Amino acid sequence: MDTYTPTTKTISLKQYGIAHNNVHYQLSPKELQGATIQKEMGKQASSGALAVNTGEFTGRSPMDRFIVKDEITEEKIWWGDINIPFDSEKFDKLYDKVIAYLNEKELFVRDCYACADEAYKLNIRVINEYPWSNMFAYNMFLRPTVEELENFDPEWTVVNAPGFLADADLDGTRQHNFAILNFSKKIALIGGTGYTGEIKKGIFSALNFILPVFKNTLPMHCSANIGNDGDTAVFFGLSGTGKTTLSTDPNRKLIGDDEHGWTAQNTVFNFEGGCYAKVIDLSKEKEPEIYGAIKEGAILENVIMDANGVVDYADTSITQNTRVSYPIYHIDNIQQPSIGENVKNIFFLTADAFGVLPPISKLTPSQAAYHFISGYTAKVAGTEAGVVEPQPSFSACFGAPFMPLHPAVYAEMLSKKMQESGVDVWLINTGWTGGPYGVGKRMELKYTRAMITAVLNGDLGLYSYDNYHIHSVFGVAQPRECPGVPTQVLSPRATWNDDEAYYTTAFKLTNAFRENFKKFEAYASEEIRRGGPQRYAF
Ligand code: ATP
Ligand code: MN
């Protein structure tokens, strides 16, 4: 069983320029929780979980994420406002400043690794200013055994100093916070933000460069699980579309909830050792596995508790992005090690706030490539200041903020893998039904689960005219019936009760697709372009 293994090993940080020995190495989650509470940086919830506030930042800050431009990266990175270049000399200076800052602090260090498949293992040393950030690293990365720890050789280093504030003019950052990847030095340098997601997504971004460039493996922003017959399912989707929720399925073994690699041997392995679930409106009835994982060892972020430590998951007064991290073994039904074979189904999850995409449809290979490059979901009012009506949001490969290479590189790899493995690809709308956001409502989780179960159990019937209907606007194939789902729910138009409004809104969305796809047209074959929606407004 993969749990905490005590060690008597100690380390020195002299090689990093840190002279003092006030370094806590490889503390247990319990010790880190104790240290957090003792420093009044967190409280214990009634469930036993640790609850912390991450401070000024309760989400990632994409505009403050940089990549050092140097020999390794210059020619390969897709530079732009997602992958913002950072000067290599400026990096060295800023790094020295952060180290000088940490030289005055008590520190928490953890050796761990990413990639559950031995052949891809990436050893990581995480140096944290705060104990709870170090506990996050325990939860989210993979945990070495005592033997592995004996001769541990860290390849990448995460230096995490939330209390260090940059001086933008002097340091070359945009403002006081930053997350910078340096591929030559193999360092992720994070300062000015306590948001833990920056730690895991820093290493994810590094792997999204390393695996395709050096290891012929496709990195994916997806969750994955495996059935009793050994069939693996993969769920792509942007934040909030349901990767964590839907992969946590009591009838299938969880492989991972966010980051995976698909190898040339047709296996899928998790990069991480834990899950990072949204807890907004979490309920024991609807999501019993995630609810049950929130116990001693888990870290709740930015939730509101009463005097008895009882969490009110409906309270979003700090942020909508309330979270919990826990080691994967907090879920009962898991695949160990976190590797699956035989990929049979791929789901593209989208939370369509226009309410026009079918809740489930099957995609042709052209459509799959088109939708992967588009990476559509929608933002609703409330999540970002100034958003009052649904806004389409496109993020290539369903994870553009973490993808250092041009989207076409990942898309080509995926298309090839889809062909070789003969997978079925499904588009699942976990968003709105019966009208757009404000008029309709979110698709019921039990229906989305029933649709996915039907696919995985082969209950949707053969792919034929009798069983499927081609959507007149989007061109995708909607099943006519699905066990456990009222038939009317399967047709978005039927749920609206207003054909004209439905088509007007559908065309609004297809136009947004077309507009967004323009920047990829030069890279897309005629076949991929044919995978787009069939009709547009004029
Ligand atoms: P991230 O990349 O930020 O981790 P994610 O894709 O893992 O995001 P989830 O954490 O699974 O997203 O969030 C989905 C949210 O939507 C959950 O809070 C879930 O309860 C809610 N939800 C409501 N209806 C549905 C539905 N029909 N399908 C999936 N999730 C739903
Ligand atoms: Mn998730």
Side-chain angles (χ1 to χ4, degrees):
M1 185 61 190
D2 156 46
T3 48
Y4 176 71
T5 41
T7 175
T8 51
K9 190 176 159 178
T10 55
I11 56 160
S12 143
L13 295 181
K14 293 221 165 57
Q15 55 176 308
Y16 303 91
I18 291 168
H20 69 69
N21 283 322
N22 195 4
V23 175
H24 302 279
Y25 178 64
Q26 223 69 1
L27 293 190
S28 69
K30 217 185 178 96
E31 288 166 317
L32 291 166
Q33 177 153 342
T36 304
I37 292 169
Q38 191 241 325
K39 291 176 193 300
E40 296 184 357
M41 296 178 113
K43 289 187 179 141
Q44 187 163 318
S46 58
S47 57
L50 174 66
V52 299
N53 286 353
T54 58
E56 181 188 355
F57 292 92
T58 56
R60 284 179 308 99
S61 185
M63 287 196 289
D64 301 297
R65 188 266 206 183
F66 306 91
I67 296 178
V68 173
K69 196 173 199 169
D70 57 21
E71 265 178 20
I72 295 186
T73 57
E74 185 162 16
E75 303 286 317
K76 294 200 174 70
I77 301 282
W78 190 41
W79 301 107
D81 48 12
I82 291 174
N83 298 303
I84 311 166
F86 202 84
D87 181 77
S88 131
E89 278 169 28
K90 284 234 161 82
F91 177 90
D92 292 344
K93 286 200 180 119
L94 181 56
Y95 178 81
D96 288 345
K97 271 175 84 170
V98 174
I99 291 295
Y101 170 85
L102 293 177
N103 231 326
E104 307 293 317
K105 306 277 172 197
E106 177 183 14
L107 296 174
F108 300 84
V109 177
R110 163 143 263 112
D111 286 343
C112 46
Y113 65 96
C115 300
D117 187 325
E118 278 289 324
Y120 300 87
K121 203 167 174 181
L122 184 82
N123 281 349
I124 303 166
R125 173 163 292 168
V126 187
I127 303 176
N128 298 107
E129 178 183 1
Y130 298 155
W132 51 269
S133 324
N134 195 250
M135 186 171 161
F136 177 84
Y138 174 84
N139 284 355
M140 295 307 299
F141 293 120
L142 286 148
R143 296 154 286 270
T145 61
V146 177
E147 298 78 62
E148 286 170 328
L149 215 51
E150 269 318 302
N151 303 306
F152 193 90
D153 186 11
E155 186 176 346
W156 270 74
T157 308
V158 179
V159 178
N160 176 234
F164 174 91
L165 304 183
D167 178 335
D169 291 338
L170 280 177
D171 299 328
T173 55
R174 186 182 71 100
Q175 51 178 38
H176 57 282
N177 61 301
F178 52 89
I180 312 174
L181 285 179
N182 187 326
F183 282 92
S184 299
K185 304 217 154 124
K186 301 188 177 178
I187 294 171
L189 184 64
I190 303 165
T193 169
Y195 185 62
T196 53
E198 299 279 13
I199 300 174
K200 84 179 208 99
K201 285 296 191 339
I203 291 297
F204 184 45
S205 301
L207 285 165
N208 290 339
F209 180 84
I210 297 165
L211 294 179
V213 172
F214 302 114
K215 307 254 177 173
N216 190 24
T217 285
L218 173 69
M220 307 178 286
H221 185 216
C222 72
S223 60
N225 63 23
I226 183 164
N228 292 328
D229 299 335
D231 67 297
T232 295
V234 161
F235 305 76
F236 284 94
L238 290 160
S239 186
T241 57
K243 290 184 300 299
T244 300
T245 302
L246 297 169
S247 58
T248 312
D249 176 339
N251 298 313
R252 296 173 63 86
K253 291 192 173 81
L254 178 65
I255 298 173
D257 84 326
D258 201 50
E259 309 171 1
H260 294 82
W262 188 348
T263 71
Q265 292 72 44
N266 201 21
T267 61
V268 166
F269 65 88
N270 191 359
F271 295 170
E272 301 181 283
C275 303
Y276 193 40
K278 283 178 176 287
V279 294
I280 181 172
D281 294 329
L282 181 70
S283 81
K284 191 178 179 179
E285 293 66 41
K286 288 188 186 157
E287 300 184 63
E289 291 78 20
I290 293 175
Y291 192 92
I294 304 177
K295 55 183 183 184
E296 187 181 329
I299 312 173
L300 288 157
E301 295 179 9
N302 305 313
V303 296
I304 302 292
M305 303 192 296
D306 68 14
N308 299 317
V310 176
V311 177
D312 178 359
Y313 290 113
D315 193 329
T316 56
S317 53
I318 298 179
T319 176
Q320 305 250 340
N321 188 32
T322 52
R323 292 270 180 176
V324 65
S325 67
Y326 46 83
I328 197 164
Y329 56 75
H330 278 207
I331 298 291
D332 286 335
N333 201 12
I334 56 173
Q335 170 83 345
Q336 274 193 313
S338 306
I339 304 174
E341 340 176 279
N342 188 17
V343 185
K344 275 259 175 70
N345 289 284
I346 293 180
F347 298 94
F348 291 164
L349 308 175
T350 178
D352 173 28
F354 293 96
V356 291
L357 281 173
I360 176 168
S361 56
K362 194 168 190 214
L363 303 184
T364 63
S366 312
Q367 290 168 344
Y370 180 92
H371 281 276
F372 183 70
I373 292 172
S374 299
Y376 165 68
T377 194
K379 285 186 184 149
V380 295
T383 54
E384 250 172 58
V387 178
V388 283
E389 62 170 58
Q391 299 271 319
S393 163
F394 294 93
S395 180
C397 315
F398 296 102
F402 325 115
M403 300 296 167
L405 307 177
H406 191 282
V409 177
Y410 306 101
E412 264 168 40
M413 283 182 94
L414 182 70
S415 287
K416 203 163 151 257
K417 290 197 163 305
M418 289 191 305
Q419 267 168 24
E420 285 166 3
S421 58
V423 284
D424 285 334
V425 183
W426 308 84
L427 183 64
I428 304 283
N429 175 10
T430 66
W432 274 254
T433 178
Y437 175 81
V439 178
K441 55 180 179 34
R442 186 101 190 243
M443 184 64 56
E444 283 191 46
L445 181 52
K446 65 174 181 213
Y447 293 154
T448 302
R449 286 201 199 278
M451 292 174 218
I452 285 171
T453 301
V455 167
L456 295 171
N457 292 348
D459 290 340
L460 287 182
L462 287 178
Y463 186 47
S464 68
Y465 177 79
D466 282 348
N467 295 329
Y468 288 84
H469 160 87
I470 303 297
H471 193 285
S472 63
V473 178
F474 297 105
V476 296
Q478 292 168 243
R480 295 181 192 273
E481 295 195 18
C482 176
V485 183
T487 302
Q488 197 216 6
V489 171
L490 296 173
S491 161
R493 185 179 57 79
T495 66
W496 277 54
N497 280 321
D498 181 345
D499 282 10
E500 200 184 322
Y502 174 78
Y503 283 112
T504 308
T505 310
F507 291 143
K508 215 190 242 179
L509 180 59
T510 57
N511 277 0
F513 264 102
R514 181 165 60 180
E515 198 52 42
N516 171 68
F517 204 78
K518 279 182 183 157
K519 57 180 174 289
F520 301 116
E521 238 143 44
Y523 304 92
S525 64
E526 167 61 23
E527 202 198 331
I528 295 177
R529 276 182 274 156
R530 257 188 290 137
Q534 301 302 295
R535 283 163 60 191
Y536 302 93
F538 295 101

